[in-house]
Amino acid sequence: NAGVTQTPKFRILKIGQSMTLQCTQDMNHNYMYWYRQDPGMGLKLIYYSVGAGITDKGEVPNGYNVSRSTTEDFPLRLELAAPSQTSVYFCASRLQGKYQPQHFGDGTRLSIL
Amino acid sequence: GDSVTQMEGPVTLSEEAFLTINCTYTATGYPSLFWYVQYPGEGLQLLLKATKADDKGSNKGFEATYRKETTSFHLEKGSVQVSDSAVYFCALSDNAGGTSYGKLTFGQGTILTVHP
């Protein structure tokens, strides 16, 4: 039972490069989320999706894009990497329903140099 | 908007000591409240939750009671172990109007270190 799987675990990018952080879940969850975690801070919501083909912005969406073509996958795209995007990124998913908890992946640690 | 405030950390305790991590919240609706734990190098794991006032969530010896009158959800454990060393996050999901889509608002996290 894999749960939420994120790849890669670590990545170093140069300023201006682009990359896609992958997230897949095998629990048939409709709702998926991307967060970033900065040192000493809680998690901030970047984007979320309530189902295939439906995405919406969270608290800190600037510099990121997402897509949701299937229930299982929710990739996060950085088009022009900037040092301010150095962070740990977490993907999460949950069942639809009022009191359902979110299930998290192990994170991707990204450094922009 | 919604917000969660946790006690300043880090917290350092000896094994078998009593633990309290304070958490207070501000929300416009009737939120669900959660405690998540993050062990080094791992993602967040749900520790416990409460969905309405006076509910008590419990798991692995940890407890927290949803106090609407004080807008609090403090985490407690009677006797901590070295293996409890981790970062603890308080979070809320605002269920108002059914449009929150389960989005979580997190506190800043509290680092707990337990020494033998």
Side-chain angles (χ1 to χ4, degrees):
Chain A
N1 189 4
V4 179
T5 302
Q6 293 184 237
T7 57
K9 293 192 182 302
F10 305 96
R11 184 73 184 269
I12 299 174
L13 284 182
K14 294 182 178 178
I15 295 171
Q17 286 186 320
S18 62
M19 78 162 293
T20 300
L21 282 64
Q22 302 291 344
C23 174
T24 186
Q25 52 89 12
D26 62 358
M27 298 174 282
N28 203 31
H29 288 173
N30 281 341
Y31 293 3
M32 296 188 74
Y33 312 82
W34 274 106
Y35 295 90
R36 59 177 288 171
Q37 181 184 28
D38 298 319
M41 306 287 288
L43 281 69
K44 302 288 187 185
L45 182 65
I46 305 171
Y47 271 94
Y48 66 100
S49 169
V50 300
I54 307 170
T55 63
D56 205 350
K57 296 177 181 179
E59 188 179 358
V60 289
N62 291 344
Y64 307 94
N65 278 301
V66 293
S67 59
R68 184 97 182 270
S69 57
T70 66
T71 298
E72 294 78 19
D73 301 308
F74 190 41
L76 177 72
R77 178 97 178 146
L78 282 71
E79 291 293 349
L80 290 171
S84 61
Q85 294 177 304
T86 294
S87 189
V88 181
Y89 292 84
F90 288 99
C91 179
S93 71
R94 74 188 278 267
L95 284 169
Q96 189 174 352
K98 203 172 182 181
Y99 306 122
Q100 296 295 323
Q102 292 186 18
H103 300 263
F104 285 79
D106 287 341
T108 295
R109 185 174 296 274
L110 181 63
S111 296
I112 316 294
L113 303 176
Chain B
D2 298 342
S3 67
V4 176
T5 303
Q6 288 182 234
M7 65 184 292
E8 294 293 326
V11 175
T12 303
L13 295 173
S14 298
E15 207 165 26
E16 299 183 2
F18 184 86
L19 169 71
T20 300
I21 301 177
N22 289 338
C23 172
T24 57
Y25 67 90
T26 303
T28 53
Y30 301 94
S32 299
L33 301 173
F34 304 86
W35 277 100
Y36 280 85
V37 58
Q38 184 181 30
Y39 298 103
E42 299 184 8
L44 279 71
Q45 302 175 23
L46 178 67
L47 181 59
L48 53 85
K49 71 176 184 180
T51 59
K52 63 182 185 296
D54 299 325
D55 265 1
K56 177 185 282 187
S58 61
N59 186 26
K60 300 181 181 178
F62 291 89
E63 293 183 340
T65 301
Y66 189 143
R67 300 288 187 200
K68 194 167 179 2
E69 63 275 15
T70 55
T71 61
S72 65
F73 193 54
H74 305 320
L75 182 68
E76 296 182 337
K77 187 175 185 182
S79 176
V80 294
Q81 305 300 312
V82 172
S83 57
D84 294 327
S85 298
V87 183
Y88 291 81
F89 291 94
C90 185
L92 72 81
S93 176
D94 194 336
N95 301 309
T99 59
S100 68
Y101 303 117
K103 291 178 287 183
L104 289 172
T105 299
F106 285 90
Q108 72 270 33
T110 300
I111 300 172
L112 171 65
T113 303
V114 180
H115 293 297

